[in-house]
Amino acid sequence: MRRMKVIIPVALLSISMGVLAFSKLHKEDPPGRYEVIMGLVGQILTQGHYQPKEINDAYSKEVFDKYLKSLDPEKKFFLKSDVQGLQTVATHIDDELQGAPLDCFNAVNTLIKQRVTEAAAIYPELLAQPFDFSKEEKVTLDPDKIDFPADQEARKDAWRKVLKYRVLEKYVELQESRDKQKDQKDKASTEKPKTDAELEADARAKVKSVYDRYFDRLKNKQDDNERFSLFINAITTTMDPHTDFFPPAEKRAFEEQMAGKFFGIGAQLKEEDGKIKITSIVTGSASWKDGRLKANDAILKVAQGDKEPVDVTGYAVEDAVKLIRGSKGSVVKLTVKSVDGTQKVIDIVRDEVVLDDTFAKSAIINGQHKLGYIYLPEFYADFNDRNGARCAEDVAKEITKLKAENVEGIILDLRFNGGGSLQDVVQMAGLFIPEGPVVQVKSRSGDPMILRDRDKSVQYGGPLAIMVNEYSASASEIMAAAMQDYKRAVIIGSNTFGKGTVQRMLNLDDFYSNKEIGALGAIKLTQQKFYRANGGSTQLKGVTSDILLPDPYYEVAERKDDDALAWDEIPKAPYTTWIDPVPVEALKRSSEKRLAGSEAFKMMNDNISTLKKMESQEAYSLNLQTYKAEQKTNSNALKRYDAVNDKVKELNIVSLRVDLDRLASDSSKLARNKDWLKFRQKDIYLDEAVNVMNDLIALSYPKLQGKPANK
């Protein structure tokens, strides 16, 4: 699951840690890296978590089950007897967190390596022979609906069915492609189309290539350290879904995401046929200045300075990125194969790369009214640089630009915004309201603390709408809830994610320093819970939109996680609602009437229902004719889904001239901006948000008809 986030600058726990904390770990030998991390994690969870569960045998068992699921999500490696045999160590994890030997991790780690090696020999054998698609048999792909294989023969048969299904998918795809080409070719063509047998062989070869890369990735990436990180995360996320362990490389990546900048070479990457390839070079970056890296070059190996290079064949892009990024001024050496076939080593000095796509950006929607549109992908903040990017400041700049364009209303789009900086959401809310409480924050003990906007001025006082969906979480929910409580904005979309907790990033190296052990990583620890100004928590329940729209994204919210903290409420904080309260009921009636007569939204509702039925399917046929019939039904449903956009009128959405002038010298950024606008031109949800804004202006701001809403 995507990591939702609300964090605030690092603050150390007031708990006793350090070397003395390990007095009960190893009485004679000093603890190793894994033991140190386990000891720190155990103490941090019990002494620092907002609402710690009792770490006992029952907790250990839950962690154990979660860890096995992370190692073998499809139940194709472990045997049922393996899981039964490991029960002897399944309840040891609570003891290991207090200094006992790591029996559970070591036992599971040894066994998974053996089972992966065995599976690596199974799939090539099964894919070496043709499959018979005339048989009537089915495969269940949902791991929650199956058990671990009873024995090695059952495991081999489970692999056979999965591989047969994957080959069947590719085989039908190749058949359709061949038949389409036959229809398009000139009848006089002498080129002989491939037979079904040849296509089936091609399908097996393609599937084998996919699994070759999959097992290469397991070999290259999922080493002992990776499996230990999964083990620690099973421990932390059992306390609550947002308490995460970050090994050093992931900690750096998380901080870079929050800051919107990183230090690297400035090349965008993609994974293609098991290779890491360059898609484009960021203008002004270290690679751009160096000039030797080109689009479509393949990166074969990555070395840190003069150290031994790491072969990145089979790596996922995100894992290759972790190797290529690093500290400013450091050297990374890339072994590169160019499109002309030549191979060379390119050394590049890392420098700052700014992720413009992370930052707030705006546009103008022309129509019945001239509306401003602000897109905010996350509540970013650079906590390590006081001059770094802050989303509240950037949104304020976008508002200034839109006001200069005399917009009559503003839509703030927080869809898919997973959260971020708590202090920035408080500052951002203050752009739209006078002084007052924005959110209440409660720690493990003590009274709630009210975080308030202390600036009596209002930067923008005109019509305001906020768009959300089920992926809008944390800081996004605080923003939407505050504007809803103040009756300042109309909230449009679905129910939000429901993450009402606050995390702090704790660097484990601050508690235990030993250069021989190396960097330990960090824990993003849940230490607080936040509440709306009206006293209700957004935890679990989220924010219910004023204007509810059907959302195709489901089964992702906080309420789906058994380890999520519960909903509760505290006393209301005193606040005064907006002088011109949003007429929610009138807007709701107008929208419901529009949606009832909208062919596009009717199709959307039908398609969501169809997709849910498709996803609830338990077993899939391995018979060719049955499979084709099922796929035809599914394909027709998906075509109807794609056709929704055809029923939506195209919005006239354009970039601000000042932004186009800034991008003029960078063709790649101009192209991305064009795609960004195009994606929103036929956005059914944005279209309805515009309709709601038109209603809001007519109902609450009649004096602003055709005039700027720059109050």
Side-chain angles (χ1 to χ4, degrees):
M1 179 178 285
R2 180 180 175 185
R3 278 170 167 157
M4 306 298 181
K5 49 194 181 292
V6 158
I7 66 171
I8 58 181
V10 174
L12 301 182
L13 291 169
S14 58
I15 57 180
S16 174
M17 289 194 176
V19 178
L20 294 178
F22 295 92
S23 58
K24 56 185 176 182
L25 277 173
H26 289 261
K27 294 181 179 179
E28 298 179 1
D29 298 328
R33 181 173 176 273
Y34 293 171
E35 288 85 357
V36 169
I37 292 173
M38 283 286 285
L40 288 172
V41 167
Q43 292 186 65
I44 286 174
L45 291 180
T46 55
Q47 298 181 41
H49 193 273
Y50 173 79
Q51 196 173 43
K53 298 177 183 176
E54 184 179 355
I55 299 180
N56 51 22
D57 285 355
Y59 187 91
S60 297
K61 185 64 171 62
E62 187 178 345
V63 171
F64 173 80
D65 292 341
K66 186 177 288 189
Y67 183 47
L68 290 197
K69 190 172 184 178
S70 68
L71 290 175
D72 189 6
E74 295 183 0
K75 296 180 180 175
K76 295 294 183 291
F77 294 122
F78 289 119
L79 303 176
K80 193 171 185 178
S81 57
D82 293 336
V83 179
Q84 292 170 343
L86 288 169
Q87 296 303 311
T88 57
V89 293
T91 57
H92 284 198
I93 299 172
D94 57 323
D95 301 315
E96 294 174 21
L97 285 166
Q98 298 182 54
L102 304 187
D103 292 339
C104 181
F105 169 72
N106 290 330
V108 175
N109 191 43
T110 298
L111 189 55
I112 189 61
K113 287 191 284 188
Q114 176 186 340
R115 295 307 186 215
V116 168
T117 299
E118 292 168 357
I122 291 173
Y123 81 91
E125 176 188 343
L126 292 171
L127 290 171
Q129 300 297 324
F131 287 109
D132 181 359
F133 296 121
S134 64
K135 291 183 178 180
E136 286 291 346
E137 59 178 341
K138 293 187 175 183
V139 61
T140 301
L141 299 178
D142 185 349
D144 293 334
K145 302 289 195 304
I146 59 175
D147 198 354
F148 289 96
D151 50 35
Q152 292 189 16
E153 282 303 310
R155 181 182 60 182
K156 185 173 182 180
D157 192 57
W159 272 102
R160 179 189 67 82
K161 287 183 177 179
V162 169
L163 292 170
K164 184 176 182 180
Y165 183 77
R166 299 307 175 198
V167 172
L168 178 57
E169 286 181 308
K170 187 60 65 176
Y171 176 48
V172 171
E173 182 183 309
L174 291 173
Q175 279 188 328
E176 290 174 349
S177 178
R178 176 197 61 187
D179 295 343
K180 186 176 180 180
Q181 289 177 358
K182 282 167 61 176
D183 293 340
Q184 292 175 345
K185 281 182 180 178
D186 188 278
K187 293 182 179 180
S189 174
T190 57
E191 186 178 345
K192 187 178 180 181
K194 287 189 175 183
T195 64
D196 285 343
E198 290 172 325
L199 292 182
E200 192 274 342
D202 287 347
R204 281 186 286 113
K206 289 180 182 295
V207 171
K208 183 177 182 300
S209 177
V210 170
Y211 278 89
D212 285 344
R213 294 199 299 273
Y214 170 67
F215 278 94
D216 280 343
R217 190 167 293 147
L218 286 181
K219 178 184 68 176
N220 289 324
K221 179 179 182 292
Q222 204 177 74
D223 56 10
D224 289 352
N225 288 332
E226 174 69 18
R227 284 185 288 272
F228 182 72
S229 293
L230 292 174
F231 182 59
I232 295 295
N233 264 305
I235 294 170
T236 59
T237 57
T238 297
M239 192 62 70
D240 88 281
H242 306 289
T243 292
D244 296 311
F245 170 69
F246 291 82
E250 287 191 21
K251 172 180 176 287
R252 186 189 71 224
F254 181 83
E255 291 171 341
E256 290 169 351
Q257 180 188 0
M258 285 297 301
K261 68 180 182 183
F262 61 91
F263 299 109
I265 63 173
Q268 293 186 313
L269 309 178
K270 65 178 178 180
E271 189 271 334
E272 187 177 280
D273 297 328
K275 295 183 176 63
I276 301 298
K277 290 189 174 183
I278 307 290
T279 55
S280 63
I281 304 296
V282 177
T283 302
S285 67
S287 294
W288 182 81
K289 293 173 183 175
D290 180 273
R292 288 178 288 174
L293 271 182
K294 305 294 182 186
N296 292 317
D297 283 353
I299 299 176
L300 307 179
K301 298 178 182 179
V302 179
Q304 311 302 322
D306 294 326
K307 293 183 179 180
E308 189 72 19
V310 175
D311 187 340
V312 294
T313 303
Y315 268 46
V317 169
E318 58 267 25
D319 298 318
V321 165
K322 291 173 187 175
L323 293 176
I324 295 171
R325 292 182 184 178
S327 58
K328 183 176 182 177
S330 60
V331 176
V332 60
K333 290 185 177 179
L334 309 177
T335 302
V336 174
K337 186 174 183 179
S338 299
V339 289
D340 61 6
T342 60
Q343 188 169 311
K344 55 192 172 185
V345 176
I346 299 175
D347 56 315
I348 299 176
V349 178
R350 296 178 175 107
D351 202 352
E352 182 176 322
V353 181
V354 178
L355 302 173
D356 287 343
D357 292 343
T358 301
F359 301 146
K361 63 189 300 184
S362 62
I364 291 174
I365 302 174
N366 293 302
Q368 183 178 338
H369 295 283
K370 186 177 185 180
L371 302 176
Y373 170 79
I374 300 176
Y375 170 67
L376 186 67
E378 62 182 60
F379 283 82
Y380 53 85
D382 189 346
F383 294 125
N384 298 317
D385 182 359
R386 65 174 60 187
N387 297 316
R390 310 283 311 214
C391 62
E393 295 173 0
D394 289 351
V395 167
K397 292 174 184 175
E398 297 304 318
I399 292 173
T400 298
K401 286 155 53 177
L402 291 172
K403 287 172 68 175
E405 293 285 340
N406 293 322
V407 297
E408 300 171 68
I410 289 179
I411 298 171
L412 176 61
D413 191 346
L414 301 182
R415 291 176 295 171
F416 300 101
N417 184 317
S421 168
L422 185 59
Q423 64 191 66
D424 276 81
V425 72
V426 174
Q427 185 179 341
M428 192 181 301
L431 301 174
F432 304 102
I433 59 172
E435 179 183 22
V438 173
V439 63
Q440 303 185 76
V441 180
K442 191 177 184 301
S443 298
R444 180 168 168 175
S445 59
D447 296 328
M449 176 177 59
I450 298 175
L451 303 184
R452 60 176 66 247
D453 165 40
R454 299 187 181 279
D455 186 351
K456 294 182 180 180
S457 65
V458 176
Q459 184 182 4
Y460 176 74
L464 179 65
I466 295 179
M467 297 183 69
V468 295
N469 64 6
E470 197 165 338
Y471 281 95
S472 302
S474 251
S476 297
E477 295 175 285
I478 295 174
M479 183 70 186
M483 296 300 98
Q484 192 176 59
D485 288 347
Y486 276 85
K487 303 186 187 303
R488 173 64 185 93
V490 55
I491 313 302
I492 303 170
S494 58
N495 203 83
T496 60
F497 186 86
K499 178 184 180 294
T501 54
V502 183
Q503 286 70 41
R504 296 189 180 194
M505 187 69 84
L506 302 174
N507 191 342
L508 297 184
D509 297 298
D510 291 334
F511 301 113
Y512 188 94
S513 179
N514 187 323
K515 292 183 179 179
E516 293 182 2
I517 289 179
L520 301 175
I523 281 190
K524 180 162 66 68
L525 179 71
T526 296
Q527 283 199 300
Q528 295 171 312
K529 204 170 182 181
F530 60 75
Y531 298 82
R532 303 169 63 137
N534 71 9
S537 174
T538 59
Q539 174 62 22
L540 221 61
K541 290 187 178 181
V543 176
T544 301
S545 293
D546 300 317
I547 308 299
L548 280 169
L549 303 179
D551 195 338
Y553 308 101
Y554 62 98
E555 305 294 339
V556 298
E558 184 92 348
R559 60 185 176 276
K560 303 297 180 183
D561 197 311
D562 293 337
D563 293 317
L565 300 185
W567 179 90
D568 63 341
E569 58 184 334
I570 59 174
K572 173 183 175 181
Y575 63 94
T576 303
T577 55
W578 185 240
I579 189 172
D580 295 319
V582 172
V584 170
E585 292 305 317
L587 295 174
K588 188 183 298 185
R589 286 193 297 270
S590 295
S591 179
E592 288 174 350
K593 184 177 180 181
R594 238 185 339 265
L595 265 58
S598 168
E599 188 176 355
F601 272 107
K602 183 180 183 303
M603 291 174 66
M604 176 66 76
N605 280 317
D606 291 343
N607 292 339
I608 290 172
S609 177
T610 301
L611 289 171
K612 286 182 178 180
K613 288 179 182 177
M614 287 168 57
E615 292 203 4
S616 65
Q617 185 174 341
E618 291 191 6
Y620 297 83
S621 177
L622 297 176
N623 175 275
L624 178 62
Q625 300 308 320
T626 305
Y627 174 84
K628 283 185 173 181
E630 290 176 349
Q631 289 305 301
K632 185 176 181 180
T633 301
N634 294 343
S635 177
N636 290 335
L638 293 173
K639 284 178 182 177
R640 289 197 301 272
Y641 187 89
D642 292 337
V644 169
N645 283 341
D646 296 335
K647 304 296 182 182
V648 182
K649 69 175 185 291
E650 189 170 299
L651 291 172
N652 181 3
I653 180 170
V654 296
S655 293
L656 281 69
R657 172 51 55 187
V658 64
D659 291 335
L660 290 177
D661 290 343
R662 178 173 52 84
L663 300 176
S665 61
D666 191 330
S667 59
S668 62
K669 287 185 179 180
L670 276 173
R672 290 202 302 273
N673 183 69
K674 184 178 180 181
D675 290 340
W676 183 82
L677 291 171
K678 185 177 180 181
F679 181 76
R680 285 155 178 78
Q681 285 173 348
K682 302 203 77 172
D683 180 340
I684 186 174
Y685 299 102
L686 182 55
D687 179 62
E688 179 57 17
V690 169
N691 291 331
V692 173
M693 282 295 288
N694 290 336
D695 291 342
L696 177 58
I697 292 171
L699 288 167
S700 298
Y701 299 83
K703 59 182 177 296
L704 300 176
Q705 296 289 320
K707 298 179 182 179
N710 296 339
K711 296 176 71 175

